[in-house]
Amino acid sequence: MTQSQPYVRPVCGQDYAALRQSGTPASRARVELGLAPARSLRMERAFRAKAGRGEGDPQQPKFARHEAHVAAVMAQGGFCALSERRVGRSGVCVALPLIWPKGAKRG
């Protein structure tokens, strides 16, 4: 009597996209999904192309999908951030004022 192997669903682009949208770096997604480097590169290209068309993560601002823009902003000191304040013993609330990155040009 032979013992059958359990069914393992093949990895698809949606698996890769779900990891990338959750903030997992491309290299980590490749390892977690057990992808060959060439296949991982193809999935990353497809993921970026989809994000560039405005598809994918709806919470990510459209300008942040443009790598040249992000690189230019980072070269000027980075993005502004909202400050946080404590609410109760364990809560955190996003609030104003904006926190400017060190060395960033304002206006």
Side-chain angles (χ1 to χ4, degrees), residues 31-50:
V31 171
E32 284 190 28
L33 296 173
L35 299 172
R39 185 164 182 214
S40 173
L41 188 60
R42 283 193 306 273
M43 285 188 171
E44 181 65 19
R45 261 190 255 128
F47 172 74
R48 287 178 184 246
K50 198 171 187 181

Side-chain angles (χ1 to χ4, degrees), residues 54-68:
E55 301 172 23
D57 189 0
Q59 294 180 357
Q60 184 179 20
K62 289 191 184 297
F63 68 84
R65 293 187 173 107
H66 191 264
E67 289 180 358

Side-chain angles (χ1 to χ4, degrees), residues 47-98:
F47 172 74
R48 287 178 184 246
K50 198 171 187 181
R53 291 189 304 267
E55 301 172 23
D57 189 0
Q59 294 180 357
Q60 184 179 20
K62 289 191 184 297
F63 68 84
R65 293 187 173 107
H66 191 264
E67 289 180 358
H69 174 79
V70 173
V73 171
M74 294 308 288
Q76 294 179 11
F79 291 93
C80 297
L82 292 169
S83 57
E84 297 177 344
R85 64 181 172 89
R86 292 295 224 183
V87 178
R89 288 188 353 194
S90 61
V92 176
C93 179
V94 177
L96 290 174
L98 287 175

